[in-house]
Amino acid sequence: MNELIPVTRDVDHGTAKLMPDIDRERAWLLTVDGAPQSYVDLDDPTHLEFEYTRRLGHVLDVVAEPGRALDVVHLGGGAFTLPRYVAVTRPGSRQDVVEADRGLLELVSGHLPLPQGANIALHAADARLWLENAPAASADVLLADVFSGSRVPAHLTSVTYVREAARVLRGTGVYLANLPDAAPFGFLRSQLATLATVFEELVLIAEPAVLRGRRFGNAVLVAGRQPIDIAALARLTAADAFPARVEHGVALRAFIGGARAVRDEDAVPSPEPPDGAFGIG
């Protein structure tokens, strides 16, 4: 079967590879320059393989009553894992996927096509530039999972960027981000401080080993202007194979400490992961 043959292609920002999972008939792993980017099961879009993706999925599950259609903007395309998830769990949702790498968009949409009628629009554009031209108060959820290589680009870390994100969100809207870091968490703390300049409610979801400084890893940040269902999030993340902690309120303010919000002129990419942090063996 052709489906079982790996596909390799030079895209705009590296070499992308789609590899079939021998244990799941129509499941695929997407890597770029050897780093895992996405995993998608075309037969079961609700299967979220990566731990951080499951945590983002948990947030998507609790931001509104189950099954309610949402307007969602995804910054970063990958293999469209979470857009497919939303299309199934929240039928009728309108979604936009913004991906700077046109070659990657074409590869994924050509080999792993989106289901008909999913109402998912694909945009080959820089995430910040696209946001700056998006209508105000047009999204319920804005999900940022953008990497240039293995690092979050600097221009997506500043107060100016966060203000644009907040402008595009409705008053009840929620901002989600997947960010990598390790102790002493200079990047993560500064990103929380930056979000706090616009959003009143902040939540951090991460594995205890990451928060204790034992290893480099992903953290999911959640920000909004209205309270987030912490109890529901904590139940869902605790039930995962790799349980995560949900930090908020006083504990999260203590974690942020004296970190300062990031200005455009001071912005830097997320830290370079150590060798093997996200590789596949």
Side-chain angles (χ1 to χ4, degrees), residues 54-262:
R54 284 199 296 276
R55 289 164 197 150
L56 289 167
H58 294 330
V59 181
L60 290 167
D61 288 345
V62 306
V63 294
E65 56 268 26
R68 187 186 126 198
L70 298 173
D71 293 332
V72 184
V73 174
H74 303 262
L75 303 180
F80 318 141
T81 303
L82 287 168
R84 300 174 200 266
Y85 179 83
V86 171
V88 170
T89 59
R90 296 184 175 277
S93 292
R94 180 181 61 83
Q95 301 187 77
D96 290 285
V97 176
V98 184
E99 170 58 57
D101 193 321
R102 182 181 295 275
L104 185 62
L105 272 183
E106 292 173 352
L107 171 67
V108 173
S109 59
H111 286 272
L112 308 177
L114 290 163
Q116 289 188 342
N119 199 14
I120 300 171
L122 306 179
H123 310 272
D126 174 81
R128 181 158 157 179
L129 289 176
W130 190 90
L131 277 185
E132 290 170 354
N133 291 286
S138 57
D140 298 305
V141 178
L142 179 53
L143 195 160
D145 189 11
V146 184
F147 286 79
S148 177
S150 56
R151 306 176 74 182
V152 176
H155 72 300
L156 304 182
T157 67
S158 70
V159 170
T160 304
Y161 159 75
V162 168
R163 286 174 180 163
E164 282 300 322
R167 182 187 64 82
V168 172
L169 284 169
R170 299 186 174 112
T172 57
V174 177
Y175 177 85
L176 314 181
N178 171 41
L179 300 177
D181 204 1
F185 304 112
F187 180 75
L188 195 54
R189 291 168 61 240
S190 72
Q191 287 307 286
L192 285 161
T194 302
L195 288 167
T197 64
V198 175
F199 297 104
E200 293 82 16
E201 300 291 330
L202 297 176
V203 178
L204 167 66
I205 308 171
E207 283 186 38
V210 173
L211 292 177
R212 291 180 187 134
R214 293 180 181 171
R215 66 176 183 84
F216 191 96
N218 294 92
V220 168
L221 303 190
V222 189
R225 299 184 183 95
Q226 296 189 357
I228 295 157
D229 194 340
I230 301 296
L233 265 183
R235 285 195 300 271
L236 290 169
T237 58
D240 282 339
F242 295 93
R245 274 169 45 191
V246 178
E247 299 286 358
H248 64 102
V250 174
L252 189 54
R253 288 194 293 273
F255 178 84
I256 297 170
R260 299 176 64 178
V262 178

Side-chain angles (χ1 to χ4, degrees), residues 17-32 35-54 77-85 104 108 112 145 280:
K17 188 171 186 178
L18 287 169
M19 293 182 287
D21 184 342
I22 61 173
D23 295 322
R24 300 178 74 93
E25 186 175 350
R26 298 181 69 229
W28 295 82
L29 173 69
L30 168 68
T31 67
V32 177
Q37 298 290 323
S38 298
Y39 179 102
V40 62
D41 186 334
L42 299 180
D43 287 333
D44 181 11
T46 64
H47 174 75
L48 303 178
E49 180 77 9
F50 295 167
E51 289 92 351
Y52 85 85
T53 310
R54 284 199 296 276
F80 318 141
T81 303
L82 287 168
R84 300 174 200 266
Y85 179 83
L104 185 62
V108 173
L112 308 177
D145 189 11
I280 53 175

